[in-house]
Amino acid sequence: MDLEEKDHEHDKEVKVMTTGVEQNAEQQEKPQVKQKTKRIATLDSFRGLTIVLMILVDDAGVAYPRIDHSPWNGCTLADFVMPFFLFIVGVAIALAFKRVPKTKDAVKKIIVRTLKLIFWGILLQGGYSHAPDALSYGVNMKLIRWCGILQRIALVYCVIALIETFTAKHRPTSLSPGLLSIFKAYKWQWLGSFVALLIYMITAYTLYVPDWSFVDRNEDEHKRYTVICGVRGDLEPACNAVGYVDRQVWGVNHLYSYPVWRRLKVCTFSSPDEGPLRDDAPTWCRAPFEPEGLLSSVSAIMTGTIGVHYGHVLIHFKGHSERLKQWVSMGFALLIVAIILHFTDAIPLNKQLYSFSYVCFTAGAAGIVFSGFYVLIDVWGLRTPFLFLEWIGMNAMLVFVLGAQGILAAFVNGWYYEDPPNSLVHWIHKHVFVNVWNSEKVGTLLYVIFAEIGFWAVVSGILHKLGIYWKL
């Protein structure tokens, strides 16, 4: 999802013909009447799909832990959300920065948008907002969380957009013959991704991780625990370099307090669901860990770069078959690499560490899904069944903040009768869905589908008809 590409001034630049036909240099020099171009619906639909997946796994994952984030190695439905965000960020960047008239102005927009994303990320996930259930707000600055979803998107967006901007004048207007011509034309983008990979791999496998300690603030009695490490290249929860970098940069008190590894069997008998920690659980089960940390976000730059590549294909290749050949072949190649790395235990799939195999697997899946949407929507013209995704995608930032982050639900919960649980949101969930179906699991799933996803689809559709969008 490209949350930051909601600025519709940029969207005017992003709008291209579905055939992808580019005007040649001579035509561009001649004065022409500006024609209204057709927006590629796949971009908005894919962005909307990502938001829908986030709402589904966040709110229904409690009832169905199998779709929630993998406690450590592996990949579940929830683990595709973050890479899908970054993938579509990359695609939109390639289109938005297809032409850069003034480098200075472009850099200014990039920096401003990056800062806006960081601000909203800290506000929503830093601990200040207690939505949707707790009717309070405020955060202890000694414990504020500096990282989060929007902060990671901001970093990836900033790096990739700056590379696109500074290399705009050196790109060829047409590709030379050859299968690798598009990769050569955008060598600086791939070089940036390779540098990010190099930084990640060297740090992850060579950095010495010493013993460390933390205070468990989730218990009534704040007790200090020590984790014994003294290793290099460890990829397990306790002693990996990803966590060590975040503890050194941000401080252990500024990390996420409820890491998903608490659902591992070694930590709780309720695994894969959440539950009380075992008496014999290792000390690190109680420790904080940042899933959107610094080193893992450096690795995430690769996902954005792959998305940029898909955008470049959209720009340079005119025919549907040519585009799909490029997209699908790369998607399957990435999947194959990831599967080999994971099942040979060379580099396991791991969202928390944002491992290289995880980059390949999720980016490959994003490429395949994006290609499938392109065939259905922009080639075959089956746009109507996906209109709700398109509407959500066109107002993704609004749905993310008010819906996925529960701000609207928190506002409604603030109007209750006698006790906070007696609010409209809780009443609808319990009486309209759970009690009717006589099942907490089924009722929760249907509530998420109809009362949350369906609701935001209708709201987004109305706002689209009114021409109202959240511009970031």
Side-chain angles (χ1 to χ4, degrees):
M1 179 194 78
D2 186 6
L3 293 175
E4 59 271 30
E5 294 305 320
K6 291 293 92 194
D7 187 336
H8 282 262
E9 289 183 6
H10 263 295
D11 283 346
K12 292 177 183 177
E13 299 174 16
V14 173
K15 293 179 183 177
V16 295
M17 295 296 292
T18 53
T19 56
V21 178
E22 297 294 325
Q23 296 175 322
N24 59 39
E26 293 180 359
Q27 289 175 320
Q28 290 178 359
E29 292 175 1
K30 298 176 182 179
Q32 297 181 7
V33 177
K34 190 174 182 180
Q35 296 180 348
K36 187 177 180 180
T37 56
K38 185 177 179 182
R39 185 186 184 91
I40 295 181
T42 298
L43 270 71
D44 292 317
S45 298
F46 189 93
R47 192 180 291 125
L49 172 69
T50 308
I51 288 287
V52 165
L53 280 179
M54 169 175 262
I55 295 174
L56 178 66
V57 299
D58 281 356
D59 296 342
V62 177
Y64 296 88
R66 296 289 181 182
I67 69 172
D68 201 352
H69 290 291
S70 175
W72 197 243
N73 291 337
C75 192
T76 64
L77 184 63
D79 295 323
F80 288 100
V81 174
M82 186 77 245
F84 277 28
F85 279 171
L86 299 175
F87 174 87
I88 203 63
V89 165
V91 176
I93 285 175
L95 299 178
F97 292 91
K98 181 173 59 177
R99 298 182 185 89
V100 182
K102 293 183 179 180
T103 302
K104 184 178 179 180
D105 292 343
V107 171
K108 182 180 178 181
K109 286 184 178 181
I110 292 169
I111 299 301
V112 170
R113 182 166 291 170
T114 299
L115 293 176
K116 286 181 179 179
L117 285 167
I118 293 174
F119 168 78
W120 278 104
I122 294 174
L123 183 64
L124 293 170
Q125 294 190 300
Y128 182 85
S129 170
H130 302 163
D133 296 322
L135 302 180
S136 60
Y137 63 90
V139 60
N140 181 351
M141 292 301 293
K142 289 184 65 176
L143 305 175
I144 190 172
R145 181 187 176 199
W146 296 115
C147 299
I149 294 171
L150 293 181
Q151 294 94 311
R152 169 169 286 176
I153 292 176
L155 173 65
V156 174
Y157 166 79
C158 185
V159 172
I160 295 177
L162 287 175
I163 294 175
E164 285 287 295
T165 298
F166 287 117
T167 60
K169 296 180 180 179
H170 303 287
R171 300 177 203 156
T173 55
S174 60
L175 299 178
S176 58
L179 294 175
L180 301 178
S181 59
I182 191 167
F183 294 95
K184 293 177 181 178
Y186 294 94
K187 58 182 179 295
W188 292 109
Q189 284 78 353
W190 290 108
L191 178 61
S193 181
F194 176 74
V195 170
L197 173 62
L198 205 60
I199 292 172
Y200 175 84
M201 296 295 284
I202 291 175
T203 307
Y205 286 94
T206 66
L207 185 65
Y208 178 77
V209 181
D211 299 346
W212 57 285
S213 63
F214 66 95
V215 174
D216 184 5
R217 300 183 184 277
N218 296 322
E219 296 180 345
D220 294 333
E221 182 182 352
H222 292 175
K223 184 178 179 181
R224 179 169 290 277
Y225 296 88
T226 299
V227 181
I228 305 300
C229 291
V231 296
R232 300 180 193 272
D234 190 89
L235 299 180
E236 294 304 312
C239 302
N240 58 79
V242 172
Y244 176 63
V245 169
D246 288 325
R247 291 192 294 272
Q248 295 301 304
V249 174
W250 313 115
V252 70
N253 292 332
H254 298 284
L255 309 182
Y256 185 54
S257 300
Y258 299 94
V260 292
W261 69 36
R262 295 168 68 95
R263 293 170 29 230
L264 286 168
K265 288 182 179 180
V266 70
C267 295
T268 177
F269 289 115
S270 303
S271 179
D273 203 350
E274 295 182 7
L277 295 179
R278 298 168 47 158
D279 293 335
D280 60 345
T283 56
W284 54 261
C285 289
R286 297 174 168 82
F289 180 82
E290 184 50 66
E292 276 86 38
L294 182 59
L295 186 60
S296 54
S297 293
V298 171
S299 177
I301 292 172
M302 292 182 285
T303 303
T305 302
I306 293 169
V308 168
H309 173 75
Y310 275 68
H312 292 157
V313 169
L314 191 61
I315 292 170
H316 286 284
F317 291 87
K318 301 177 182 180
H320 296 316
S321 60
E322 292 174 308
R323 290 171 175 175
L324 290 167
K325 187 187 299 182
Q326 292 280 334
W327 289 341
V328 173
S329 60
M330 186 170 190
F332 278 112
L334 289 169
L335 289 174
I336 292 170
V337 170
I339 291 170
I340 292 173
L341 290 174
H342 179 73
F343 286 101
T344 58
D345 291 328
I347 304 178
L349 292 172
N350 191 296
K351 188 266 180 188
Q352 309 304 311
L353 300 178
Y354 219 100
S355 63
F356 179 63
S357 59
Y358 173 76
V359 171
C360 294
F361 188 75
T362 53
I368 298 299
V369 173
F370 185 82
S371 301
F373 268 39
Y374 183 77
V375 171
L376 293 172
I377 299 171
D378 285 296
V379 178
W380 292 353
L382 300 176
R383 189 172 177 178
T384 302
F386 303 97
L387 273 178
F388 77 101
L389 294 178
E390 188 177 339
W391 294 335
I392 292 175
M394 295 176 77
N395 239 320
M397 187 65 185
L398 182 142
V399 180
F400 175 82
V401 173
L402 298 184
Q405 295 301 305
I407 300 301
L408 180 63
F411 175 79
V412 176
N413 285 341
W415 304 86
Y416 59 88
Y417 184 74
E418 292 185 343
D419 296 316
N422 295 329
S423 68
L424 181 61
V425 171
H426 292 98
W427 188 90
I428 291 174
H429 176 259
K430 180 179 179 181
H431 294 282
V432 178
F433 292 96
V434 175
N435 289 353
V436 169
W437 291 92
N438 197 30
S439 170
E440 184 72 29
K441 283 192 171 185
V442 176
T444 298
L445 179 62
L446 293 177
Y447 170 80
V448 172
I449 292 174
F450 292 102
E452 294 190 17
I453 296 173
F455 170 80
W456 286 110
V458 172
V459 170
S460 299
I462 294 172
L463 293 176
H464 171 59
K465 295 298 182 182
L466 298 174
I468 300 174
Y469 307 96
W470 184 329
K471 300 178 181 180
L472 184 63

